[in-house]
Amino acid sequence: MLTDFSGRGVISVFDAGRLIHQAPRLYAAFLLWLLAELVEQLPEVGDPQVPKLVLFFDEAHLLFSGAPKALLNKIEQVVRLIRSKGVGVYFVTQSPTDLPDAVLGQLGLKIQHALRAFTPKDQKTIRAVADSFVPNPAFGTAERVTTLGIGEALVSTLDDAGRPRPVQQTLIAPPEGRIGPVSHAERATLIQRSPVRGRYDTPLDRTSAYEMLKERAAIAQEAANAKRETMEAQRQTQPSTGRGRQRQGLGEAMLKSAARSIGSSIGRQIIRGVLGSLFGRR
């Protein structure tokens, strides 16, 4: 709902191409959260002539593909309520059949570009699209939608009483834009008109979580190296008596091990003799 200094609205584009294909349900949950936040935060404005915010959801069939019934019911509820908040919602997809009937029934404006029928399935889709419009006695909707040219479309709107008008064939005005970069003078003019002018002129490179973890790992490694060096230094500075005592301790350990081996051998012989006497064996 941001406007520039000329009063023109600012368009924000959220590129969720990777998210749609890798985690479509997460994408659907995000959009549902966005709509729910608008419903809860925006005040009631009734039915304004011009909405103060418009949302366009491209590739809308991905939003509803495989969605659970609870999610579809929530989207339908939000679409019903968000209109009174002065927010317009547009679902952009190849065919109206990509949208659930409950959501499609809530859309007051329908714009359908040309469809081509090459298979029986395509013909069935065209009949379904034609049935979604209020018929116009002047032409057949199913036939006309297959003969539309570039820029032409079938359009259905609501009248002053909120009732759908019969479908009309119209020519859609092309968007006022161009392909290619703007000139330096045009760019400077756009920057001067921007409501966020000067806010993002200075680059800000905050410390990332990766950098924090890397710094912690380096500190831990330095502490481990320092501890190891300290232990090595202590080992090298021990007196000679200590080293002799260590050698003596090693000799004692060898004698104890040999004694345990001899004791175990004698013990096995004694036990064998006792058991032999009990069972009459020698």
Side-chain angles (χ1 to χ4, degrees):
M1 291 179 287
L2 199 63
T3 58
D4 61 13
F5 295 130
S6 300
R8 298 179 178 179
V10 176
I11 299 176
S12 300
V13 179
F14 174 63
D15 184 5
R18 293 179 59 186
L19 182 62
I20 290 175
H21 295 288
Q22 296 180 3
R25 292 197 174 187
L26 179 59
Y27 169 69
F30 164 74
L31 294 183
L32 180 60
W33 167 84
L34 176 62
L35 294 174
E37 283 292 305
L38 292 174
V39 171
E40 294 179 3
Q41 300 296 332
L42 295 179
E44 292 281 348
V45 295
D47 189 14
Q49 292 293 329
V50 179
K52 55 185 178 181
L53 176 66
V54 179
L55 301 174
F56 291 86
F57 296 134
D58 197 10
E59 301 295 342
H61 63 279
L62 298 176
L63 174 62
F64 300 101
S65 178
K69 185 173 179 57
L71 179 59
L72 295 178
N73 293 338
K74 188 63 177 179
I75 294 178
E76 178 189 356
Q77 179 185 5
V78 170
V79 171
R80 289 175 181 268
L81 297 176
I82 205 170
R83 188 182 307 167
S84 62
K85 304 289 184 173
V87 178
V89 179
Y90 289 80
F91 295 103
V92 183
T93 186
Q94 297 293 329
S95 172
T97 57
D98 296 332
L99 306 181
D101 293 338
V103 175
L104 188 62
Q106 296 299 316
L107 305 181
L109 171 62
K110 298 177 184 178
I111 302 175
Q112 178 62 56
H113 290 279
L115 293 175
R116 304 296 184 236
F118 300 104
T119 65
K121 183 179 180 181
D122 294 338
Q123 295 176 358
K124 182 179 180 181
T125 300
I126 289 175
R127 289 194 296 269
V129 170
D131 292 340
S132 66
F133 289 98
V134 177
N136 190 330
F139 58 84
T141 307
E143 179 182 358
R144 187 59 58 90
V145 75
T146 60
T147 59
L148 294 174
I150 298 176
E152 295 181 330
L154 297 181
V155 179
S156 175
T157 60
L158 301 178
D159 59 16
D160 296 337
R163 295 169 299 192
R165 290 192 175 100
V167 61
Q168 299 289 338
Q169 180 179 350
T170 184
L171 185 65
I172 303 298
E176 296 181 359
R178 72 178 186 216
I179 299 176
V182 297
S183 64
H184 293 290
E186 291 172 326
R187 184 174 183 272
T189 302
L190 293 174
I191 292 176
Q192 291 297 322
R193 285 170 41 188
S194 173
V196 294
R197 176 171 55 89
R199 185 177 301 178
Y200 302 104
D201 293 349
T202 303
L204 180 60
D205 185 11
R206 293 189 177 94
T207 303
S208 64
Y210 169 77
E211 293 172 334
M212 292 180 181
L213 294 175
K214 187 177 180 180
E215 183 180 359
R216 292 181 185 177
I219 295 175
Q221 185 64 36
E222 291 178 0
N225 294 338
K227 184 177 180 180
R228 183 168 57 253
E229 292 175 357
T230 302
M231 294 179 63
E232 289 290 341
Q234 291 177 352
R235 206 176 291 119
Q236 293 177 2
T237 57
Q238 284 181 346
S240 59
T241 55
R243 290 195 296 270
R245 186 174 182 181
Q246 287 181 353
R247 289 195 294 271
Q248 183 179 4
L250 180 60
E252 291 177 356
M254 293 177 63
L255 290 175
K256 291 180 180 180
S257 177
R260 283 196 298 269
S261 300
I262 296 172
S264 299
S265 178
I266 296 175
R268 286 195 297 271
Q269 293 180 4
I270 294 174
I271 293 175
R272 190 181 301 113
V274 173
L275 294 177
S277 62
L278 291 175
F279 295 98
R281 298 177 182 176
R282 296 294 180 183

